[in-house]
Amino acid sequence: CNDDDDPANNDFFSGTYKGSISYKDANNSLSTQNGSVFVTKIASGTKYNFAFSNKIPDLNGVEFEKKGDNMLVSIGSNENSYIRIDSKKLTILYTKDGKTWTANTTR
């Protein structure tokens, strides 16, 4: 998909967002200022996969809902755990099972 494709308005979406990413669990702490996240919308239409660079584990099957005209927000989001995505920016602060992923990236 090109940079103008909007993940909120397309049946199919894939795109790479670049910037700061990190991951932390009980045994690992990984981060880089020059990482990337490859985002794909999967067949369900509301779930997305996030493939991180730099050996950071992927996040798969995250379900989203549309907020406003062009933004998607992960279901169950709050100020301490969320994923927000639109055509230009991906922001992640996501915690699950003692693991935390972050991203502040653009396309």
Side-chain angles (χ1 to χ4, degrees):
C1 293
N2 69 44
D3 288 351
D4 294 332
D5 283 346
D6 187 344
N9 293 325
N10 284 337
D11 290 335
F12 301 99
F13 176 79
S14 65
T16 301
Y17 293 76
K18 296 181 180 181
S20 173
I21 60 173
S22 71
Y23 171 79
K24 187 172 185 176
D25 66 21
N27 301 314
N28 297 298
S29 182
L30 306 166
S31 66
T32 182
Q33 297 297 312
N34 298 307
S36 64
V37 183
F38 182 68
V39 180
T40 54
K41 186 176 194 178
I42 57 179
S44 71
T46 60
K47 293 184 180 180
Y48 287 72
N49 292 337
F50 299 85
F52 290 78
S53 66
N54 299 78
K55 299 183 182 180
I56 292 176
D58 297 342
L59 276 171
N60 293 316
V62 180
E63 193 163 5
F64 281 82
E65 59 188 348
K66 192 172 179 180
K67 295 284 186 181
D69 288 338
N70 296 8
M71 181 176 285
L72 292 169
V73 177
S74 56
I75 291 178
S77 289
N78 59 51
E79 62 276 356
N80 297 315
S81 184
Y82 59 84
I83 300 174
R84 296 182 184 118
I85 186 171
D86 65 24
S87 63
K88 300 291 182 196
K89 187 169 185 172
L90 169 65
T91 308
I92 299 173
L93 172 56
Y94 190 81
T95 303
K96 182 178 179 183
D97 301 328
K99 302 169 187 171
T100 302
W101 291 260
T102 68
N104 187 5
T105 57
T106 57
R107 202 163 75 120

